[in-house]
Amino acid sequence: TQRVVLLEHPLHGRARRAAIRLCSLAALGLLLLGALTYVPPLLVAYRSHGFWLSRSSYAEQPSVRFRHEVLLAALTDSGGGPVGWSSFAAFNRLLGTRLLPLRKAREEDSNQDGVTDLLRFQLELPLLPSERVVGIQLLLTFSYELHVSVINSTSPFAQDYDFVNIVETYQKRNVTTVLSGPSPIWVTGRSPDQPFVIQAFIHYPTELIVYPLPGFWEMVKFAWMQYISILLIFLWIFERIKIFLLRNQVLNMVPMSPLPPLLSHKEHRS
């Protein structure tokens, strides 16, 4: 005897039941349709060169604060040593500086998110009428903080919560920042009775934090979302193909009339 499988399929807008032999061309056709529905989305997602997540990243606005610590050395054309000043009293005593510059600093939060985005810094350096600045060296210090946790709170593995591993990960972490894209503008023509003015506008941009090796479940979640997004398209296409094949009897199946509810209940009890 041949084994028979009952199949429900939409026909003329209604769900109908049909019988199909396991060892038949119709069963082979349905199996092929299923394979074409679920396998190609996996291949398309994998060949997109982004199926497995090799690194994870997220953007964060750092908490940057100007510490109001300044170290300045100005080179003049007088032939002597540099004219210097700093916010450190010990350095001023060593240099024997006579300067009392006017310093202004203001940090701004342009988007009102509670994190500073810009520093406006200005320093007016009083000089002798015979002194002319030909170069400057300016050092400003900041406190820079990123809320990067060394504990993977989404990991289901015990080793990610081990104190030794946490401390080791913290010691290996190297978070640095640089001042990039400076566009200095040097304006000449200062009169002898005017101070030498230094203005700086420093923006605190959003940082991109990159993790070279994401967690296992994060990789699976990323791959699953790509596969499902492509699978939905294939399900819609091949479902219409299957309906067309069934309605036009391309796949040979034996239609069965639905049983009345009462008769079905009696057969079930017997």
Side-chain angles (χ1 to χ4, degrees):
T1 60
Q2 293 182 335
R3 301 186 64 181
V4 178
V5 177
L6 295 180
L7 175 69
E8 290 191 4
H9 64 90
L11 187 61
H12 303 296
R14 298 175 60 185
R16 297 297 179 89
R17 303 172 72 232
I20 182 174
R21 293 183 176 89
L22 284 179
C23 298
S24 64
L25 291 178
L28 181 61
L30 290 178
L31 181 62
L32 181 60
L33 283 177
L36 292 176
T37 302
Y38 292 96
V39 176
L42 181 62
L43 299 178
V44 172
Y46 181 78
R47 294 296 297 176
S48 63
H49 303 288
F51 186 70
W52 293 116
L53 189 64
S54 59
R55 62 178 184 177
S56 179
S57 63
Y58 75 97
E60 179 183 343
Q61 177 73 22
S63 177
V64 184
R65 292 293 182 181
F66 178 48
R67 300 182 60 182
H68 296 275
E69 296 177 345
V70 183
L71 185 61
L72 171 67
L75 304 178
T76 64
D77 59 353
S78 60
V83 178
W85 178 86
S86 77
S87 58
F88 306 103
F91 175 82
N92 292 332
R93 287 194 299 266
L94 291 174
L95 194 61
T97 181
R98 53 172 173 76
L99 301 177
L100 292 175
L102 177 62
R103 180 183 54 178
K104 300 177 183 179
R106 184 176 76 251
E107 290 181 301
E108 299 179 358
D109 181 10
S110 57
N111 54 6
Q112 303 298 319
D113 62 347
V115 182
T116 55
D117 304 300
L118 171 68
L119 169 66
R120 297 181 182 271
F121 177 82
Q122 178 174 318
L123 190 143
E124 298 181 3
L125 188 63
L127 298 174
L128 298 175
S130 59
E131 293 177 330
R132 187 170 65 92
V133 177
V134 296
I136 60 170
Q137 293 177 337
L138 178 64
L139 177 64
L140 307 177
T141 62
F142 298 84
S143 63
Y144 185 96
E145 180 182 359
L146 280 171
H147 302 87
V148 181
S149 176
V150 294
I151 303 176
N152 185 7
S153 59
T154 62
S155 175
F157 303 108
Q159 61 266 23
D160 291 330
Y161 301 94
D162 183 71
F163 281 94
V164 176
N165 292 334
I166 293 174
V167 174
E168 182 181 0
T169 303
Y170 181 81
Q171 295 294 334
K172 291 180 179 179
R173 186 173 61 175
N174 181 21
V175 180
T176 59
T177 182
V178 295
L179 180 63
S180 61
S183 302
I185 300 176
W186 192 285
V187 180
T188 59
R190 179 185 66 88
S191 61
D193 59 339
Q194 290 181 340
F196 181 80
V197 180
I198 302 173
Q199 286 184 331
F201 302 95
I202 302 177
H203 294 268
Y204 308 149
T206 301
E207 297 291 343
L208 183 65
I209 311 302
V210 178
Y211 292 95
L213 293 176
F216 172 76
W217 291 112
E218 187 176 0
M219 295 174 60
V220 172
K221 180 181 67 175
F222 185 79
W224 179 254
M225 290 188 298
Q226 294 186 87
Y227 174 68
I228 289 297
S229 61
I230 302 176
L231 177 63
L232 292 177
I233 301 175
F234 278 76
L235 285 174
W236 185 86
I237 295 175
F238 282 95
E239 181 65 21
R240 268 98 190 131
I241 295 176
K242 184 172 67 174
I243 292 174
F244 173 81
L245 296 177
L246 295 177
R247 284 180 178 177
N248 294 274
Q249 291 297 312
V250 178
L251 298 178
N252 188 17
M253 294 186 301
V254 179
M256 300 179 61
S257 59
L259 296 175
L262 182 59
L263 181 59
S264 177
H265 178 68
K266 290 182 178 179
E267 290 184 355
H268 178 71
R269 293 187 59 182
S270 63

